[in-house]
Amino acid sequence: MQIYIVEPGDTIDRIASLYGVTVEEISYANQIPAPYRLAVGQAVLIPAGEEEEERQIVTSNGYAYPFISPWVLRQTLPYLTSLYVFSYGFSEEGELIPPVVSDEWMIQEAGEQSVRPILVLTPLGADGRFNNNLIHAVVSSETAKENLIENLLATVQEKGFQGVDVDFEYILAEDRDLFTAFVAELRNRMNQVGYTVSVALAPKTSAGQQGLLYEGKDYRGLGEAADEVLLMTYEWGYAYGPAMAVAPLNKVRQVVEYALTEIPSEKINLGISNYGYDWTLPYVRGESKAITIGNIEAVQIAIENGVAIQFDEVAQSPFFNYQKDGMEHEVWFEDPRSMRAKYNLLTEYNLKGIGVWQIMRLFRPMWLLYASMFYVV
């Protein structure tokens, strides 16, 4: 598929005529509502041209909460290999805590479309934050660890999951090896009955990287312990930080290149962010908080405020500034250009596939582009 950048004076009719496709095809692929307004600088995916006969075989995984819109889930499932159900918690004794909203309908929908449902395990406390004391209690106790693994096995078998994804964050440095051992034991037990285990990795660029987010994750050890890994290559730009690209390509590349020194490429899934942020300026540390927005929503904000979308060539990410109610805003998000730049890393480094955080909002161009570039299994 080709990507067209909207110029001043462009209309969807003109673009459709230029490429010999219909307005309906362009509006569907890009989720452009009537009356088909466009933003200058907007990247439009053109549903034209033939697919390459030989394409790299990849996988496609997406994270979703059980309260996802059924329509959005059904629109997305045809592009997925696995549906990661977020999430199950646990107690210090290893008792499993299911999601508040039932996930059974998601598992059924996934099965009907031949998509693997995966149980996501997180150490989220009552406050909704990652709790490293909870991690420590389980990985340092043989009794609690065994109880948790047994409960996971029972739940996976009972509910029809096909594997477990371990998403533990802010692991204490002292628990690094214990956590790796837990993943290895969980995989051993799951593999014995035909299930898989994956693990999410904070975006490290070196083995000795400092910080609570990084020190508890042993890339080499976890790469050996798990069937596959997800590089969480996003959140450089985040809600409480200064305005910048969520997943700048130069930073993403650094993480991938380090990961490849520790983990086989065929085990690595590249994290893809399916959202953007709208910051108010100036940024004040400890006070500012950006609003999470969808990629389609970002373009509509640019249109409504009459501003052009710009593109950062280093970060390979779109952005724009606008003013509203006396406040200056800065928006960074994803578009077909930024997605294609990240997808190209799969070919360049022969990676296994992608893991999308998250699929709660439908961004159809992302999926159409991926399916046109690769053969998804």
Side-chain angles (χ1 to χ4, degrees), residues 114-151:
S114 300
V115 174
R116 301 174 66 245
I118 302 295
L119 183 157
V120 180
L121 182 69
T122 60
L124 294 175
D127 59 357
R129 297 177 180 273
F130 284 92
N131 187 330
N132 50 27
N133 292 319
L134 184 56
I135 298 171
H136 176 77
V138 169
V139 301
S140 61
S141 165
E142 287 299 323
T143 301
K145 182 172 67 173
E146 175 63 21
N147 191 34
L148 180 56
I149 291 175
E150 286 293 332
N151 283 323

Short mmCIF file of all heavy atoms in Angstrom, two decimals, residues 114-151:
data_model
loop_
_atom_site.label_atom_id
_atom_site.label_comp_id
_atom_site.label_asym_id
_atom_site.label_seq_id
_atom_site.Cartn_x
_atom_site.Cartn_y
_atom_site.Cartn_z
N SER A 114 -10.18 -18.24 15.21
CA SER A 114 -8.90 -18.97 15.21
C SER A 114 -7.74 -18.11 15.72
O SER A 114 -6.62 -18.19 15.21
CB SER A 114 -8.59 -19.50 13.80
OG SER A 114 -9.60 -20.37 13.35
N VAL A 115 -8.02 -17.29 16.72
CA VAL A 115 -7.01 -16.46 17.37
C VAL A 115 -6.73 -17.04 18.75
O VAL A 115 -7.66 -17.41 19.48
CB VAL A 115 -7.49 -14.99 17.49
CG1 VAL A 115 -6.49 -14.16 18.29
CG2 VAL A 115 -7.70 -14.39 16.11
N ARG A 116 -5.45 -17.12 19.12
CA ARG A 116 -5.05 -17.71 20.40
C ARG A 116 -5.32 -16.74 21.55
O ARG A 116 -4.71 -15.67 21.61
CB ARG A 116 -3.57 -18.07 20.39
CG ARG A 116 -3.16 -19.04 19.31
CD ARG A 116 -1.64 -19.23 19.29
NE ARG A 116 -1.15 -19.87 20.50
CZ ARG A 116 -0.34 -19.28 21.37
NH1 ARG A 116 0.07 -18.03 21.19
NH2 ARG A 116 0.09 -19.93 22.44
N PRO A 117 -6.20 -17.08 22.50
CA PRO A 117 -6.36 -16.22 23.68
C PRO A 117 -5.25 -16.49 24.70
O PRO A 117 -4.93 -17.65 24.97
CB PRO A 117 -7.73 -16.64 24.23
CG PRO A 117 -7.90 -18.05 23.78
CD PRO A 117 -7.15 -18.20 22.48
N ILE A 118 -4.67 -15.43 25.20
CA ILE A 118 -3.54 -15.53 26.14
C ILE A 118 -3.89 -14.82 27.43
O ILE A 118 -4.36 -13.67 27.43
CB ILE A 118 -2.26 -14.91 25.54
CG1 ILE A 118 -1.90 -15.58 24.21
CG2 ILE A 118 -1.11 -14.98 26.54
CD1 ILE A 118 -1.52 -17.03 24.31
N LEU A 119 -3.66 -15.46 28.56
CA LEU A 119 -3.87 -14.87 29.88
C LEU A 119 -2.69 -13.98 30.23
O LEU A 119 -1.55 -14.45 30.22
CB LEU A 119 -4.05 -15.98 30.92
CG LEU A 119 -4.35 -15.61 32.37
CD1 LEU A 119 -5.03 -16.79 33.08
CD2 LEU A 119 -3.11 -15.20 33.16
N VAL A 120 -2.94 -12.72 30.52
CA VAL A 120 -1.88 -11.80 30.92
C VAL A 120 -1.84 -11.72 32.44
O VAL A 120 -2.85 -11.41 33.08
CB VAL A 120 -2.08 -10.39 30.33
CG1 VAL A 120 -0.94 -9.47 30.78
CG2 VAL A 120 -2.14 -10.45 28.81
N LEU A 121 -0.68 -12.01 33.01
CA LEU A 121 -0.50 -12.01 34.47
C LEU A 121 0.24 -10.74 34.87
O LEU A 121 1.34 -10.48 34.37
CB LEU A 121 0.30 -13.24 34.90
CG LEU A 121 0.52 -13.41 36.41
CD1 LEU A 121 -0.80 -13.73 37.11
CD2 LEU A 121 1.55 -14.50 36.68
N THR A 122 -0.35 -9.97 35.78
CA THR A 122 0.28 -8.72 36.24
C THR A 122 0.25 -8.63 37.76
O THR A 122 -0.71 -9.11 38.39
CB THR A 122 -0.44 -7.49 35.67
OG1 THR A 122 -1.80 -7.50 36.10
CG2 THR A 122 -0.39 -7.45 34.16
N PRO A 123 1.25 -7.99 38.36
CA PRO A 123 1.26 -7.80 39.81
C PRO A 123 0.64 -6.45 40.20
O PRO A 123 1.25 -5.64 40.89
CB PRO A 123 2.76 -7.83 40.14
CG PRO A 123 3.39 -7.20 38.93
CD PRO A 123 2.53 -7.59 37.75
N LEU A 124 -0.57 -6.22 39.72
CA LEU A 124 -1.22 -4.94 40.02
C LEU A 124 -1.86 -4.99 41.40
O LEU A 124 -2.60 -5.92 41.73
CB LEU A 124 -2.28 -4.63 38.96
CG LEU A 124 -1.75 -4.37 37.54
CD1 LEU A 124 -2.91 -4.19 36.57
CD2 LEU A 124 -0.84 -3.14 37.53
N GLY A 125 -1.58 -3.97 42.20
CA GLY A 125 -2.17 -3.89 43.53
C GLY A 125 -3.57 -3.31 43.49
O GLY A 125 -4.12 -3.01 42.44
N ALA A 126 -4.16 -3.11 44.67
CA ALA A 126 -5.51 -2.56 44.77
C ALA A 126 -5.60 -1.15 44.21
O ALA A 126 -6.67 -0.71 43.78
CB ALA A 126 -5.97 -2.58 46.22
N ASP A 127 -4.46 -0.44 44.18
CA ASP A 127 -4.44 0.93 43.66
C ASP A 127 -4.25 0.98 42.15
O ASP A 127 -4.17 2.07 41.57
CB ASP A 127 -3.34 1.75 44.35
CG ASP A 127 -1.95 1.15 44.15
OD1 ASP A 127 -1.83 0.07 43.53
OD2 ASP A 127 -0.98 1.77 44.64
N GLY A 128 -4.15 -0.19 41.51
CA GLY A 128 -3.98 -0.24 40.07
C GLY A 128 -2.55 -0.05 39.61
O GLY A 128 -2.28 0.04 38.41
N ARG A 129 -1.61 0.00 40.54
CA ARG A 129 -0.19 0.20 40.19
C ARG A 129 0.58 -1.11 40.34
O ARG A 129 0.21 -1.99 41.13
CB ARG A 129 0.44 1.26 41.10
CG ARG A 129 -0.18 2.65 40.94
CD ARG A 129 0.45 3.63 41.93
NE ARG A 129 -0.11 4.95 41.81
CZ ARG A 129 0.32 5.88 40.97
NH1 ARG A 129 1.32 5.62 40.17
NH2 ARG A 129 -0.26 7.07 40.92
N PHE A 130 1.67 -1.22 39.58
CA PHE A 130 2.52 -2.40 39.69
C PHE A 130 3.15 -2.42 41.08
O PHE A 130 3.71 -1.42 41.53
CB PHE A 130 3.60 -2.39 38.61
CG PHE A 130 3.08 -2.77 37.25
CD1 PHE A 130 2.63 -1.81 36.36
CD2 PHE A 130 3.02 -4.10 36.86
CE1 PHE A 130 2.14 -2.17 35.11
CE2 PHE A 130 2.53 -4.47 35.62
CZ PHE A 130 2.09 -3.50 34.74
N ASN A 131 3.08 -3.57 41.75
CA ASN A 131 3.50 -3.71 43.14
C ASN A 131 4.69 -4.67 43.21
O ASN A 131 4.53 -5.88 43.10
CB ASN A 131 2.32 -4.24 43.97
CG ASN A 131 2.61 -4.27 45.45
OD1 ASN A 131 3.75 -4.43 45.87
ND2 ASN A 131 1.56 -4.13 46.25
N ASN A 132 5.89 -4.11 43.38
CA ASN A 132 7.07 -4.99 43.41
C ASN A 132 7.18 -5.78 44.71
O ASN A 132 7.87 -6.80 44.75
CB ASN A 132 8.36 -4.22 43.11
CG ASN A 132 8.51 -2.97 43.94
OD1 ASN A 132 7.99 -2.87 45.04
ND2 ASN A 132 9.25 -2.00 43.40
N ASN A 133 6.50 -5.35 45.76
CA ASN A 133 6.48 -6.15 46.99
C ASN A 133 5.68 -7.43 46.78
O ASN A 133 6.00 -8.48 47.33
CB ASN A 133 5.90 -5.33 48.15
CG ASN A 133 6.80 -4.19 48.57
OD1 ASN A 133 8.01 -4.34 48.63
ND2 ASN A 133 6.20 -3.04 48.84
N LEU A 134 4.64 -7.33 45.97
CA LEU A 134 3.84 -8.50 45.63
C LEU A 134 4.66 -9.49 44.80
O LEU A 134 4.61 -10.71 45.02
CB LEU A 134 2.60 -8.05 44.84
CG LEU A 134 1.56 -9.10 44.47
CD1 LEU A 134 1.05 -9.82 45.71
CD2 LEU A 134 0.40 -8.43 43.73
N ILE A 135 5.44 -8.95 43.86
CA ILE A 135 6.33 -9.80 43.07
C ILE A 135 7.31 -10.52 44.00
O ILE A 135 7.50 -11.74 43.90
CB ILE A 135 7.11 -8.97 42.04
CG1 ILE A 135 6.15 -8.31 41.04
CG2 ILE A 135 8.14 -9.84 41.30
CD1 ILE A 135 6.82 -7.29 40.13
N HIS A 136 7.93 -9.77 44.90
CA HIS A 136 8.92 -10.34 45.81
C HIS A 136 8.32 -11.47 46.65
O HIS A 136 8.94 -12.53 46.84
CB HIS A 136 9.49 -9.25 46.73
CG HIS A 136 10.44 -9.77 47.76
ND1 HIS A 136 11.74 -10.11 47.46
CD2 HIS A 136 10.26 -10.04 49.08
CE1 HIS A 136 12.34 -10.54 48.56
NE2 HIS A 136 11.46 -10.52 49.55
N ALA A 137 7.09 -11.25 47.14
CA ALA A 137 6.46 -12.25 48.01
C ALA A 137 6.28 -13.58 47.30
O ALA A 137 6.45 -14.65 47.92
CB ALA A 137 5.10 -11.72 48.49
N VAL A 138 5.98 -13.54 46.01
CA VAL A 138 5.72 -14.78 45.28
C VAL A 138 7.00 -15.44 44.78
O VAL A 138 7.20 -16.65 44.96
CB VAL A 138 4.74 -14.52 44.11
CG1 VAL A 138 4.68 -15.72 43.18
CG2 VAL A 138 3.36 -14.20 44.64
N VAL A 139 7.89 -14.67 44.16
CA VAL A 139 9.08 -15.29 43.58
C VAL A 139 10.06 -15.77 44.63
O VAL A 139 10.93 -16.61 44.35
CB VAL A 139 9.78 -14.36 42.57
CG1 VAL A 139 8.84 -13.97 41.44
CG2 VAL A 139 10.35 -13.11 43.26
N SER A 140 9.95 -15.25 45.86
CA SER A 140 10.88 -15.65 46.92
C SER A 140 10.31 -16.76 47.81
O SER A 140 10.98 -17.21 48.74
CB SER A 140 11.26 -14.45 47.79
OG SER A 140 10.11 -13.90 48.43
N SER A 141 9.09 -17.19 47.51
CA SER A 141 8.46 -18.25 48.31
C SER A 141 8.12 -19.43 47.41
O SER A 141 7.30 -19.31 46.49
CB SER A 141 7.18 -17.73 48.97
OG SER A 141 6.39 -18.79 49.47
N GLU A 142 8.72 -20.58 47.67
CA GLU A 142 8.43 -21.76 46.86
C GLU A 142 6.96 -22.16 46.96
O GLU A 142 6.36 -22.59 45.97
CB GLU A 142 9.32 -22.94 47.31
CG GLU A 142 10.77 -22.81 46.89
CD GLU A 142 10.94 -22.75 45.37
OE1 GLU A 142 10.18 -23.46 44.67
OE2 GLU A 142 11.80 -22.00 44.89
N THR A 143 6.38 -21.99 48.13
CA THR A 143 4.98 -22.35 48.33
C THR A 143 4.06 -21.46 47.51
O THR A 143 3.16 -21.93 46.80
CB THR A 143 4.60 -22.26 49.82
OG1 THR A 143 5.44 -23.15 50.58
CG2 THR A 143 3.14 -22.64 50.02
N ALA A 144 4.29 -20.15 47.60
CA ALA A 144 3.45 -19.19 46.86
C ALA A 144 3.64 -19.36 45.35
O ALA A 144 2.68 -19.30 44.58
CB ALA A 144 3.77 -17.77 47.29
N LYS A 145 4.89 -19.55 44.93
CA LYS A 145 5.19 -19.71 43.50
C LYS A 145 4.50 -20.96 42.95
O LYS A 145 3.88 -20.91 41.87
CB LYS A 145 6.70 -19.79 43.29
CG LYS A 145 7.10 -19.92 41.83
CD LYS A 145 8.61 -19.78 41.65
CE LYS A 145 9.36 -20.94 42.27
NZ LYS A 145 10.81 -20.89 41.96
N GLU A 146 4.58 -22.06 43.67
CA GLU A 146 3.95 -23.30 43.23
C GLU A 146 2.43 -23.14 43.17
O GLU A 146 1.78 -23.61 42.23
CB GLU A 146 4.32 -24.44 44.18
CG GLU A 146 3.63 -25.76 43.90
CD GLU A 146 3.97 -26.35 42.55
OE1 GLU A 146 5.02 -25.99 41.98
OE2 GLU A 146 3.18 -27.19 42.05
N ASN A 147 1.89 -22.45 44.15
CA ASN A 147 0.44 -22.23 44.19
C ASN A 147 -0.01 -21.40 42.99
O ASN A 147 -1.03 -21.70 42.35
CB ASN A 147 0.04 -21.53 45.49
CG ASN A 147 -1.46 -21.51 45.71
OD1 ASN A 147 -2.16 -22.46 45.34
ND2 ASN A 147 -1.96 -20.44 46.29
N LEU A 148 0.76 -20.36 42.66
CA LEU A 148 0.42 -19.50 41.54
C LEU A 148 0.49 -20.27 40.22
O LEU A 148 -0.41 -20.16 39.37
CB LEU A 148 1.35 -18.29 41.49
CG LEU A 148 1.11 -17.30 40.34
CD1 LEU A 148 -0.33 -16.79 40.34
CD2 LEU A 148 2.09 -16.13 40.43
N ILE A 149 1.53 -21.06 40.05
CA ILE A 149 1.67 -21.84 38.81
C ILE A 149 0.53 -22.84 38.68
O ILE A 149 -0.05 -23.01 37.59
CB ILE A 149 3.05 -22.54 38.78
CG1 ILE A 149 4.16 -21.51 38.61
CG2 ILE A 149 3.09 -23.57 37.64
CD1 ILE A 149 5.57 -22.09 38.69
N GLU A 150 0.17 -23.50 39.77
CA GLU A 150 -0.93 -24.47 39.73
C GLU A 150 -2.25 -23.77 39.39
O GLU A 150 -3.06 -24.28 38.61
CB GLU A 150 -1.06 -25.19 41.08
CG GLU A 150 0.03 -26.22 41.33
CD GLU A 150 -0.08 -27.40 40.38
OE1 GLU A 150 -1.19 -27.71 39.92
OE2 GLU A 150 0.97 -28.02 40.08
N ASN A 151 -2.46 -22.60 39.96
CA ASN A 151 -3.68 -21.85 39.68
C ASN A 151 -3.72 -21.38 38.23
O ASN A 151 -4.79 -21.36 37.60
CB ASN A 151 -3.80 -20.65 40.62
CG ASN A 151 -4.25 -21.06 42.02
OD1 ASN A 151 -5.08 -21.95 42.17
ND2 ASN A 151 -3.71 -20.40 43.03
#
